[in-house]
Amino acid sequence: MLSVEEALAGILARAKRLPTEFVPLMEARGRVLAEEITAECDLPPFDNSAVDGYAVLSADTDSATLDSPVRLRVIGEVVAGELSEQPLLPKTAIRVMTGAPMPEGADAMVMVEDTRLEGGATVLILSPARRHDHIRFRGEEIRGGDTVLTAGTAIRSTQIGLLARAGCGRVPVYRRPRVAVISTGDELVGAEEPTPPLGKIRDSNRYALGGMVQEAGAILHALIHIPDDLEATEEAFRQCAEGGADVIVTAGGVSVGDRDFVKPVLEKLGRLEFWRIAMKPGKPLAFGQIGETLFFGLPGNPVSAMVTFELFARPALRKMMGYPATALTRPATTVTLAESIPHTPPRREYARAIATLEAGGFVATTTGHQGSNRLSSMAEANALIVISENCEGLEAGEQAQALLLNLQE
Ligand code: AMP
Ligand code: MG
């Protein structure tokens, strides 16, 4: 059996970054930038006022005090988006709004709060301005041609703002993987179908995994169910691979049951790289390839399916989407256990847990019974406590490593 790290390394070695495409700016959120973006011009593009007030020559205001203000003639006004019609002359002031270009000749702004208007055309300056007061200078944030965003940057709302400012209406990003999700099992009844008769159960994996594909930012290419039947399995895998799926994710039928057809069909149509990992939940996990399509045969138990997707399929999808190596798996942190957790070697275990941030750091408690069929144990979980292979059980108050599931978009 492979360790979790060996399996993940093998998977990531085969998951290749997808080609680049251009998308409209408002479709770029959640994608990864494929090219460096440079500034279109200096930013700010011109010297401008940081306040509503009066542009002045600072030397003219040196003697200003509340009791003995300096009087300046107001010779004009500049609003945002316009240029001043005349330069500033000594002993005059020009009214300037926030963001409006500085008039030529002025070297400082006086905030309107530090002035008083006298009549229509004279302003009283109540305190001295220093040179460069309240001016935002051209290029002080970024120089034209300088790098704004590097290739490999994940695009969130701030990056959308930066792209907009760089005049980037169409954004070069890595393509999103198309993922086919296939549930297997004669016992399964879809969510849209009537109440199952005794002996059958509702199919939950198909939908939960479909949701995980969407949450990972990939495209749900197909969402289907197949019976435990050799021909049906082969037909479905072939269709998905030939129909353009970059990844196939199946659930169930991957163990050693008489009617588990996932592995034999994968071996017939493509290649099985490995199929067992020393972990709990989720030992039977078949990974391979059909042509260029990556194949994840996840276990059927709902918790095992979701945890193995989380640990193996999601990082692969993120790599294909262009995320850098440091942003493929969830962030790990140290947690203090609020309860003891039993464990028997030799498989590594991932316990579903609720981690809360308290004064001394994260405290974690499990979500209760950890049976891999109990989907409800995943519902509240925001963390997976990692219990190492040879651990004989963890005590309350002990520290452990946990993966935080909600900290990475
Ligand atoms: P299998 O690996 O196919 O033997 O499935 C293991 C267990 O998971 C069995 O109890 C199945 O009934 C259950 N199971 C398999 N697939 C699903 C599914 N899509 N939804 C809910 N339970 C499933
Ligand atoms: Mg089955």
Side-chain angles (χ1 to χ4, degrees), residues 184-187 228 251-254 259-260 300:
T184 75
D186 288 335
E187 75 278 31
D228 292 317
V254 76
R259 299 176 63 79
D260 287 344

Side-chain angles (χ1 to χ4, degrees), residues 371-387:
S372 59
N373 55 331
R374 296 204 179 194
L375 188 53
S376 44
S377 76
M378 278 295 283
E380 304 267 284
N382 65 357
L384 294 173
I385 298 172
V386 186
I387 308 171

Side-chain angles (χ1 to χ4, degrees), residues 200-404:
K200 309 255 182 210
I201 59 166
R202 287 283 185 198
D203 179 352
S204 61
N205 287 341
R206 192 191 338 164
Y207 308 96
L209 293 172
M212 290 184 92
V213 166
Q214 292 171 329
E215 281 172 7
I219 297 168
L220 198 50
H221 176 73
L223 189 69
I224 54 181
H225 164 253
I226 52 173
D228 292 317
D229 174 88
L230 191 64
E231 281 77 42
T233 304
E234 187 173 334
E235 176 64 16
F237 290 6
R238 197 192 294 280
Q239 265 190 22
C240 289
E242 288 171 3
D246 300 298
V247 176
I248 296 175
V249 174
T250 67
V254 76
S255 200
V256 290
D258 292 343
R259 299 176 63 79
D260 287 344
F261 296 119
V262 168
K263 271 189 284 117
V265 172
L266 172 59
E267 282 176 307
K268 178 173 175 194
L269 298 182
R271 209 169 58 242
L272 173 68
E273 299 291 348
F274 56 81
W275 80 279
R276 285 204 299 176
I277 301 174
M279 65 174 282
K280 188 184 164 189
K283 177 171 63 174
L285 183 149
F287 174 73
Q289 253 172 295
I290 299 177
E292 290 298 297
T293 306
L294 293 190
F295 188 99
F296 292 87
L298 307 183
N301 271 312
V303 170
S304 310
M306 292 188 77
V307 171
T308 50
F309 184 97
E310 172 63 43
L311 294 178
F312 301 106
R314 184 176 179 278
L317 295 178
R318 286 173 73 81
K319 180 164 181 204
M320 295 168 92
M321 290 180 69
Y323 282 95
T326 48
L328 300 181
T329 55
R330 303 280 189 181
T333 190
T334 302
V335 297
T336 304
L337 300 177
E339 61 184 334
S340 63
I341 309 177
H343 181 252
T344 332
R347 284 193 281 155
R348 179 180 307 175
E349 187 167 346
Y350 290 88
R352 279 78 72 200
I354 300 167
T356 45
L357 191 51
E358 307 205 347
F362 280 104
V363 173
T365 96
T366 69
T367 53
H369 192 291
Q370 297 284 304
S372 59
N373 55 331
R374 296 204 179 194
L375 188 53
S376 44
S377 76
M378 278 295 283
E380 304 267 284
N382 65 357
L384 294 173
I385 298 172
V386 186
I387 308 171
S388 56
E389 287 75 355
N390 299 322
C391 172
E392 306 262 357
L394 294 165
E395 298 299 325
E398 249 188 271
Q399 299 208 312
Q401 285 296 296
L403 301 175
L404 300 178

Side-chain angles (χ1 to χ4, degrees), residues 68-137:
S68 158
V70 167
R71 285 189 157 65
L72 298 175
R73 192 158 57 86
V74 180
I75 60 168
E77 180 185 85
V78 203
V79 296
E82 304 288 333
L83 294 173
S84 178
E85 281 164 12
Q86 69 264 58
L88 185 92
L89 305 169
K91 306 292 176 204
T92 69
I94 294 178
R95 178 89 166 103
V96 179
M97 309 307 158
T98 306
M102 287 300 292
E104 228 176 278
D107 70 355
M109 284 295 300
V110 180
M111 285 202 291
V112 84
E113 291 85 343
D114 294 330
T115 68
R116 213 164 51 228
L117 208 54
E118 190 181 64
T122 304
V123 64
L124 306 186
I125 306 295
L126 308 178
S127 70
R130 284 162 308 162
R131 213 163 94 83
H132 296 178
D133 265 3
H134 308 302
I135 299 175
R136 304 186 286 213
F137 286 98

